[in-house]
Amino acid sequence: SGMGFQKGNKLSPPPPKRFKGDSFVTYCRARRAAQLYVFGLSHEDIAKLLGCSSRTVRNYLDMPEIRERVNTMLE
């Protein structure tokens, strides 16, 4: 009892696991954004389709691996 068990800590989610899931989803969405971008859609159009802001789309397309994919697909 005493210090060993603190209520607050129990409730906070474990960051590493959560981040890994998030980054995978982000990567999938970023790849989708890249495909749409190569397809000729604007950042705004992609944002509407993915349900995010065009700033987010720009961030997706700025990811190094995504930028590589885009360049490869455009060639």
Side-chain angles (χ1 to χ4, degrees):
S1 44
M3 287 303 290
F5 184 72
Q6 290 176 333
K7 247 184 175 152
N9 295 351
K10 197 184 73 157
L11 295 174
S12 60
K17 209 161 141 199
R18 185 114 161 251
F19 173 71
K20 208 172 159 194
D22 283 350
S23 66
F24 183 68
V25 171
T26 302
Y27 185 64
C28 292
R29 288 169 65 84
R31 277 173 46 182
R32 180 104 176 88
Q35 283 173 322
L36 294 168
Y37 181 69
V38 172
F39 199 65
L41 280 89
S42 72
H43 287 138
E44 283 73 27
D45 292 334
I46 298 170
K48 277 192 204 107
L49 282 171
L50 294 183
C52 61
S53 67
S54 51
R55 191 164 133 224
T56 306
V57 172
R58 211 168 301 124
N59 290 343
Y60 285 162
L61 296 173
D62 273 346
M63 290 163 69
E65 33 322 17
I66 299 299
R67 198 183 292 148
E68 266 169 48
R69 280 180 67 98
V70 168
N71 292 339
T72 313
M73 288 190 281
L74 284 176
E75 273 161 20

